[in-house]
Amino acid sequence: MPVDLGTSRRAGFTVVALGYLVAGLAAWAVLATSGSNPLLRTLEADLAATGVIFGLSLIVRNASLYDAYWSIAPPLIVMGWVWLLTDGLTARQAVVLLLVVAWAIRLTANWARGWRGLAHEDWRYVQLREQRPPWLPFWLVSLLGIQLMPTLIVFAGLLAVWPAATVTDRPWRWLDVVAVVVTAGAIVLETVADRQMSRFTRDPAHRGQVIDRGLWRYSRHPNYVGEIGFWWGLWLFGLAAAPDWWWTIAGPIAMTALFAFISVPLMDRRSLQRRPAYAEHMRRVPALLPLPGRHA
């Protein structure tokens, strides 16, 4: 019996797995043949892998093939830095690795649960495809906006992890403790927010309603707050390892801007279209950080 690649989740995940394997091999080839600067080589490998995923997304006509890259690439990059560029494993390196891997597993599993196969493309990409100017080809929108921009922003966020992963002569400091609290707390925040949303949407009695309980009572997007906090926590690790790398604060700033000025407005507009009561919810509940006296 023939398998419908568009509707079969197993076939879809097989295509994704094979595509990411090829992307990993492309990245490894770049690492083995490019210049001597390891940080620049990592960026080139990252872009090469993104190019492979982009090419595959064109073949299957689904830009969502890139979505898992957001969470799969960072732990591989950090593991490569630690294992290939240093001898031994310091406490800071071990903790950073553990937290990045935990974040990646949770986020990738969350994506996998919601992805229905190659016929399922993120509604934001569908909207971009339909609303783009006629003169602008969608492949260019996908390359620059959906895939290349997130790759560069995530790499900017990982710049702070570079000193945390490669500097081994600076002992564990009080700032490392703060970094653990912020990073681990952010992961827990994302996890709790996602579970609360999942329980709410699974209940048929809540169909068409706006979630206003748990963490969602104090923030319209507590999962985004957790994601932003994760990248700020990684920057604190980098600052503890090498204070002169303070300028990598550009990474978490870019990540904050991405969520605050792109993701939040998109999600809010989507919710307004689907739930008229969301307008009142927006008036009472802040987008990200909870404010005194302003919650549902």
Side-chain angles (χ1 to χ4, degrees):
M1 182 177 179
V3 175
D4 185 351
L5 291 178
T7 58
S8 169
R9 275 172 54 88
R10 178 179 296 179
F13 283 123
T14 300
V15 170
V16 170
L18 291 175
Y20 276 64
L21 177 61
V22 174
L25 292 175
W28 183 261
V30 170
L31 285 172
T33 58
S34 57
S36 58
N37 187 315
L39 195 55
L40 182 58
R41 285 165 57 197
T42 305
L43 175 59
E44 293 170 349
D46 198 9
L47 292 175
T50 300
V52 171
I53 301 302
F54 168 68
L56 182 59
S57 72
L58 291 182
I59 294 173
V60 300
R61 303 190 179 200
N62 189 326
S64 280
L65 258 71
Y66 177 83
D67 290 350
Y69 194 82
W70 177 283
S71 55
I72 289 177
L76 296 178
I77 291 173
V78 177
M79 282 189 279
W81 286 343
V82 170
W83 289 338
L84 298 178
L85 300 176
T86 63
D87 296 323
L89 193 67
T90 66
R92 182 181 295 112
Q93 289 173 320
V95 171
V96 169
L97 262 178
L98 178 64
L99 289 171
V100 172
V101 169
W103 166 85
I105 291 173
R106 190 207 69 82
L107 199 56
T108 306
N110 199 46
W111 164 80
R113 282 193 294 268
W115 195 60
R116 298 189 295 275
L118 293 176
H120 176 206
E121 189 173 39
D122 190 289
W123 63 268
R124 290 166 291 192
Y125 308 158
V126 175
Q127 190 177 80
L128 283 171
R129 192 189 300 272
E130 295 173 347
Q131 297 180 358
R132 63 185 168 83
W135 53 266
L136 183 61
F138 181 71
W139 68 264
L140 187 60
V141 175
S142 177
L143 174 62
L144 299 180
I146 297 175
Q147 307 196 37
L148 186 58
M149 182 188 71
T151 289
L152 293 176
I153 290 179
V154 168
F155 191 82
L158 288 176
L159 284 177
V161 187
W162 170 262
T166 60
V167 175
T168 58
D169 58 353
R170 195 171 180 88
W172 185 271
R173 299 165 57 83
W174 65 268
L175 191 55
D176 290 290
V177 178
V178 176
V180 170
V181 173
V182 172
T183 310
I187 297 173
V188 171
L189 180 64
E190 283 186 281
T191 304
V192 172
D194 285 342
R195 288 183 177 178
Q196 289 176 347
M197 174 61 80
S198 178
R199 286 197 298 267
F200 184 86
T201 54
R202 284 201 309 264
D203 190 340
H206 297 150
R207 190 179 303 276
Q209 296 182 15
V210 179
I211 183 171
D212 59 355
R213 59 196 62 186
L215 296 172
W216 301 84
R217 182 184 181 189
Y218 303 98
S219 170
R220 298 200 303 273
H221 306 281
N223 51 338
Y224 289 169
V225 175
E227 184 69 12
I228 292 170
F230 171 78
W231 293 98
W232 280 101
L234 293 183
W235 176 73
L236 291 176
F237 276 116
L239 193 64
D244 55 332
W245 278 65
W246 62 268
W247 55 270
T248 58
I249 194 174
I253 288 176
M255 198 67 67
T256 303
L258 173 68
F259 283 99
F261 300 116
I262 297 180
S263 298
V264 166
L266 275 173
M267 294 301 295
D268 282 347
R269 283 197 296 269
R270 172 78 165 177
S271 296
L272 282 171
Q273 293 170 356
R274 301 173 67 187
R275 301 175 180 87
Y278 196 77
E280 173 63 18
H281 183 69
M282 288 180 65
R283 187 186 68 81
R284 292 184 294 172
V285 181
L288 292 170
L289 295 178
L291 301 175
R294 188 187 174 197
H295 60 81

